[in-house]
Amino acid sequence: MNVNRSPGPWAPCAPRRPVTNPAMSYETLPDRVLDRRELRDLVDALAAVPSRWEDQVDFPAGEGRHYASLHRDAYVDVWLLCWRPGDDTGWHDHDVSSGAVRVVAGRLREYNPRIGGEHLETVIPAGQSFSFGPDHIHRLTGAAAGSVSIHAYSPPLWRLGQYSIGEGGVMRRVSVGYADELRPLDAAGGPERTAPAGRPPVPSSG
């Protein structure tokens, strides 16, 4: 994939979380669905080899978060996402897929819903990663200029759930295809917009 790279205040950081399986790569993936531990090992191993993804880093002027497909097969897909402060996925799950996220530059902010209480908020800095199962509901936002993250899902994303949470704490789920770009739900209850024509579908980004 060729991209027109725009200047951005990003720089890959030295790994902070030890890579527990440095041999993990696309070439060594097993022919089966990966569990969340294996997905985390994969994003950590990829983060340690910038040559496999840094050419996809881009911050196009006047657009939201940039995304690029790094790998997809029958069992796993991997994405690179570039974030600006305020980029927001909205509340979502990943249907039947487990996932893992590694922040390689900047910071992301993850929110987990608490119905009737304050939502749990966690800042994930560069060099850190986390994983989750199919039951995980969250929201990710860019927390620093020039933020970059690697995301892996298994089985590959196909359907996702988007949520709205009303002022009274009522949660509603809308099933969407993985080609729908995740954004906070609008007042009508649908995704604000889908991936532009000619661009690859966007992942859940978390």
Side-chain angles (χ1 to χ4, degrees):
M1 174 180 177
N2 294 322
V3 296
N4 294 320
R5 296 184 59 184
S6 302
W10 83 279
C13 73
R16 294 183 185 176
R17 178 180 183 266
V19 179
T20 58
N21 186 359
M24 180 74 81
S25 68
Y26 304 139
E27 295 77 18
T28 62
L29 291 176
D31 292 329
R32 57 171 173 78
V33 170
L34 275 62
D35 62 32
R36 54 186 292 183
R37 176 189 58 81
E38 293 171 314
L39 289 168
R40 191 174 183 185
D41 284 345
L42 176 60
V43 295
D44 286 339
L46 291 172
V49 189
S51 61
R52 304 204 74 160
W53 49 265
E54 63 182 355
D55 63 325
Q56 301 296 333
V57 172
D58 194 16
F59 296 89
E63 297 185 27
R65 65 186 184 277
H66 168 76
Y67 44 89
S69 176
L70 299 179
H71 175 82
R72 186 176 179 96
D73 60 30
Y75 302 104
V76 63
D77 61 345
V78 183
W79 295 81
L80 180 91
L81 277 80
C82 303
W83 306 73
R84 296 180 174 89
D87 285 344
D88 188 348
T89 65
W91 300 106
H92 64 278
D93 65 35
H94 306 87
D95 200 42
V96 300
S97 299
S98 295
V101 177
R102 170 68 178 246
V103 180
V104 296
R107 298 185 302 278
L108 297 185
R109 184 172 283 107
E110 183 190 34
Y111 300 88
N112 299 109
R114 286 178 174 170
I115 306 303
E118 292 293 324
H119 301 315
L120 178 65
E121 179 179 333
T122 306
V123 174
I124 304 99
Q128 295 296 316
S129 61
F130 65 97
S131 64
F132 47 85
D135 59 340
H136 191 67
I137 300 172
H138 71 171
R139 178 177 201 156
L140 286 176
T141 64
S147 296
V148 181
S149 54
I150 298 171
H151 303 238
Y153 307 96
S154 186
L157 293 177
W158 190 248
R159 302 293 302 176
L160 302 101
Q162 283 195 273
Y163 296 83
S164 63
I165 302 176
E167 292 183 1
V170 176
M171 177 180 284
R172 183 176 57 84
R173 184 182 191 271
V174 177
S175 181
V176 298
Y178 87 119
D180 290 310
E181 184 172 0
L182 289 181
R183 300 278 183 173
L185 291 181
D186 61 20
E192 288 188 349
R193 64 185 178 92
T194 57
R199 292 184 62 177
V202 70
S204 71
S205 41

